[in-house]
């Protein structure tokens, strides 16, 4: 039986409404308006996702040399979607920016995620357990190379996006700094290292899951939200609040779908705590967009 | 018996002096001043290399988490040195900049090169021929991850270098665009793809070597020289001339030490032609530094 704190959007302000315990009888009366809300918010997120996919399709057409661009195109879209790029656009809009100003950053975030996903599933000589659910249309050599090209391509898109988006170069440089830090040795890569060690007998699995979720999904989502807020013109407080919101959203995602998936322990309780922490970060934001971005910490 | 065109530095101008055929008797009279010149120039390049290594050592100390930073530090310095970072500093100084303004870019170029070198030598399940001369202190999994962190780290250094170097953000963004393009699917990665295909029976090996040297070493060195010129304040003509100079220097390097190494064919003749083309690009530059940078196309 799941329990939850639910936030509601009242008089243009977002706040903790009530704690609802989901027994069946209660569900029928309390969940209906929430369900309507969730459907509307999810369609907002879906439309952002569609925009990002469209942007990427135009940015990576299959063109000569086909031997390079075909796997690049394929691997970009083969990776499961991450919420980090969606968060980036939503945070930009929440801080009064236009979503298009954050589109190159959102694309760079997806490309980063797709490249890491490809490398994570690469059949290496010391990685004997390929996941059967991950198809390999191309050989490991080509997958390795292609992903090596995908991250720089994303950053190149971003570096060259200045003219189109009217953003000043300081903001773009700051966003590049954010993404490179999130993917690097203090972000995703640190999480992946710890994940490699999870089979060791002396490891505290529970703490390791927290760390991996924080560094891997957490840092990317935190980065996505912070980048959106930077590009949208948020002030430092808003950027940091959205960074934290993104961190919690990413950690929830890691616990549900990443290293925490199907793990025994206090996962449900942890996720519930993270969700409350996440929504608290949105409390001081005004406007309809806050309701929309909040849906990213559910599901 | 090798033959060569030699350039000399006369009255502050750099120009084609004479064609010397290297028979032994001629060598003793003609080569002595050239030898003195070469030693001086090489010590200029060596001192740049030392500066870059020092900068990198400070940028990547072995610090917690050690499991991440130890392999990062090791793999950064395990890769053979490339001339692309040296070219970057030398081109910056040639265009009246201070070498320190290009130091973060030079470091990013070395890190890019080191990461690609690590991935090139990764034992993959479909790459059955590891080079015996490349040691593997860490397992493939750790090498893959570490190199994944190294390129973003270099770009992060660059994105954050603005304050220290007094460069304007437009220049830094342009340099990031240059490096990401050079490493990506139209640069090094395209070269590596073609290299994978070199064993196929229908391939024209001679043309494939040209292509691989152009895309792999050529693009990185071209990028290094262009980045140095951008950061040094060169005008567009100077940037493009130095980019071409770097391209030829890189191709020579690829033919001597890369895919062209120990290959039959017209390699010597090709290298000689590239050297002449390279030095021609320096003809319109003034000052002592042109003599120094020119040494990078020999050896």
């Amino acid at each position: 039986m799941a329990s939850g704190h639910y936030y509601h959007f009242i008089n243009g302000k977002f706040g903790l409404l009530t704690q609802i315990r989901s027994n069946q009888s209660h569900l029928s009366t309390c969940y209906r308006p929430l369900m309507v809300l969730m459907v509307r918010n999810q369609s907002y997120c879906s439309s952002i996702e569609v925009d990002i996919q469209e942007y990427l399709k135009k940015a990576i057409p299959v063109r000569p040399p086909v031997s390079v661009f075909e796997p690049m195109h394929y691997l970009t879209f083969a990776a499961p979607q991450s919420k980090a790029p969606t968060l980036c656009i939503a945070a930009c809009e929440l801080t009064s920016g236009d979503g298009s100003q954050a589109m190159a950053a959102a694309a760079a975030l997806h490309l980063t995620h797709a490249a890491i996903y490809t490398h994570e599933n690469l059949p290496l000589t010391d990685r004997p357990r390929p996941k059967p659910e991950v198809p390999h249309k191309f050989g490991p050599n080509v997958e390795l190379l292609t992903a090596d090209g995908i991250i720089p391509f994303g950053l190149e898109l971003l570096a060259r996006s200045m003219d189109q988006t009217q953003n000043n170069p300081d903001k773009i440089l700051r966003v590049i700094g954010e993404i490179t830090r999130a993917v690097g040795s203090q972000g995703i890569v640190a999480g992946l290292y710890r994940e490699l060690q999870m089979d060791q007998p002396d490891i505290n699995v529970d703490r390791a899951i927290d760390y991996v979720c924080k560094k891997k999904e957490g840092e990317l989502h935190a980065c996505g939200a912070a980048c959106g807020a930077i590009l949208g013109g948020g002030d430092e407080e808003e950027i940091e609040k959205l960074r934290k919101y993104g961190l919690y959203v990413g950690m929830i995602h890691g616990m549900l779908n990443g290293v925490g998936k199907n793990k025994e322990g206090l996962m449900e309780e942890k996720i519930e705590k993270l969700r409350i922490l996440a929504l608290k970060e949105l409390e001081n934001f005004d406007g309809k967009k806050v309701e929309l971005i909040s849906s990213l910490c559910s599901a």
Side-chain angles (χ1 to χ4, degrees), chain A:
Chain A
M1 195 157 73
S3 73
H5 289 76
Y6 291 93
Y7 273 66
H8 238 273
F9 190 69
I10 313 159
N11 301 329
K13 275 277 180 190
F14 195 71
L16 185 65
L17 179 66
T18 181
Q19 183 173 359
I20 300 167
R21 184 164 291 274
S22 64
N23 59 54
Q24 271 320 94
S25 64
H26 209 76
L27 247 178
S28 56
T29 50
C30 292
Y31 270 63
R32 215 170 292 139
L34 279 172
M35 288 300 285
V36 174
L37 205 71
M38 280 171 71
V39 168
R40 195 170 67 216
N41 296 351
Q42 277 169 8
S43 88
Y44 169 71
C45 294
S46 304
S47 82
I48 291 178
E49 280 166 18
V50 169
D51 288 348
I52 297 168
Q53 297 277 311
E54 285 304 312
Y55 180 89
L56 282 166
K57 274 181 200 155
K58 280 187 196 147
I60 315 173
V62 178
R63 61 186 162 102
V66 174
S67 62
V68 176
F69 282 99
E70 197 194 342
M72 193 162 165
H73 188 93
Y74 175 83
L75 292 170
T76 296
F77 298 105
Q81 286 204 16
S82 154
K83 286 178 180 175
T86 314
L87 256 174
C88 180
I89 303 283
C92 177
E93 296 190 344
L94 181 61
T95 50
S96 311
D98 185 275
S100 64
Q101 291 172 295
M103 191 52 84
L109 284 160
H110 176 80
L111 291 164
T112 299
H113 157 75
I116 295 287
Y117 178 82
T118 303
H119 279 185
E120 258 192 285
N121 291 294
L122 212 57
L124 290 167
T125 49
D126 69 343
R127 194 186 280 171
R129 293 163 302 177
K131 292 182 194 156
E133 70 273 21
V134 178
H136 293 279
K137 189 176 168 187
F138 303 94
N141 239 329
V142 167
E143 289 192 355
L144 172 72
L145 280 182
T146 306
D148 276 348
I150 284 179
I151 293 182
F153 178 75
L155 295 170
E156 190 187 349
L157 275 182
L158 194 48
R160 296 190 195 278
S161 71
M162 202 170 53
D163 299 338
Q164 302 119 43
T165 56
Q166 313 279 309
N167 275 306
N168 72 43
D170 296 280
K171 280 187 187 173
I172 304 271
L173 264 184
R174 186 168 170 192
V175 165
I176 290 175
E178 292 279 348
I179 295 179
T180 49
R181 203 191 55 80
V183 70
S185 47
Q186 297 195 291
I188 297 173
V189 166
L192 291 166
Y193 265 102
R194 184 65 64 89
E195 201 174 354
L196 287 184
Q197 298 162 347
M198 280 193 48
D199 288 342
Q200 291 175 8
D202 58 340
I203 204 116
N204 178 325
V205 174
D206 204 50
R207 279 174 55 196
I209 289 175
D210 289 355
Y211 184 88
V212 172
C213 291
K214 185 178 176 193
K215 288 291 176 179
K216 214 171 132 187
E217 290 88 355
E219 290 280 353
L220 191 72
H221 288 72
C223 168
C227 289
I230 291 166
L231 294 167
D235 62 31
E236 290 308 314
E237 197 185 336
E238 288 173 325
I239 294 166
E240 292 317 310
K241 280 192 172 295
L242 284 167
R243 186 196 301 285
K244 278 191 193 160
Y245 176 70
L247 177 72
Y248 299 133
V249 170
M251 288 181 74
I252 291 170
H253 183 70
M255 289 186 181
L256 283 170
N257 308 300
V259 73
K261 193 178 178 182
N262 303 328
K263 284 279 188 305
E264 298 289 323
L266 305 168
M267 220 51 73
E268 262 188 47
E269 202 176 303
K270 278 184 188 177
I271 289 170
E272 190 49 37
K273 277 185 187 164
L274 286 168
R275 200 165 278 155
I276 293 167
L277 288 170
L279 292 171
K280 266 197 174 301
E281 297 297 333
L282 298 180
E283 274 182 5
N284 293 334
F285 287 94
D286 293 343
K288 224 179 171 182
K289 297 282 183 191
V290 69
E291 181 192 332
L292 298 171
I293 200 173
S294 72
S295 68
L296 285 161
C297 77
S298 57

